[in-house]
Amino acid sequence: PPRSAGESAEVDCQMTNIKHLTNNQLTAYYDGLLDEHESHTVGKHLLKCPECRKRLPLPSVEKFLSALLTDDE
């Protein structure tokens, strides 16, 4: 059955027992296309999973600079 963007893919790494995110989930998260709940779920997963963080697309120069200029911290 099809998965929503917030659901994890099948277990990719049997040693860690972590269900990794799909490429579609990572791209949708990166592009800001997920609803608030899905974005929160994917973000929490990324905090715990270095494997999926490695697969997250790198920001464009424009997106990176925009994030720097709008950072409130």
Side-chain angles (χ1 to χ4, degrees), residues 59-71:
S60 66
V61 172
E62 293 82 12
K63 194 167 190 170
F64 179 76
L65 290 174
S66 175
L68 286 176
L69 295 173
T70 59
D71 189 11

Side-chain angles (χ1 to χ4, degrees), residues 12-66:
D12 288 341
C13 182
Q14 293 176 354
M15 301 224 11
T16 60
N17 246 1
I18 294 176
K19 293 181 180 181
H20 294 292
L21 300 170
T22 66
N23 288 335
N24 287 342
Q25 289 171 306
L26 291 169
T27 301
Y29 178 80
Y30 173 82
D31 290 338
L33 301 175
L34 302 179
D35 65 34
E36 187 176 338
H37 174 74
E38 291 174 323
S39 181
H40 181 73
T41 300
V42 170
K44 279 178 56 176
H45 177 89
L46 288 168
L47 287 173
K48 298 177 186 176
C49 184
E51 214 35 56
C52 287
R53 282 195 307 269
K54 285 183 206 171
R55 294 176 33 238
L56 193 62
L58 293 174
S60 66
V61 172
E62 293 82 12
K63 194 167 190 170
F64 179 76
L65 290 174
S66 175

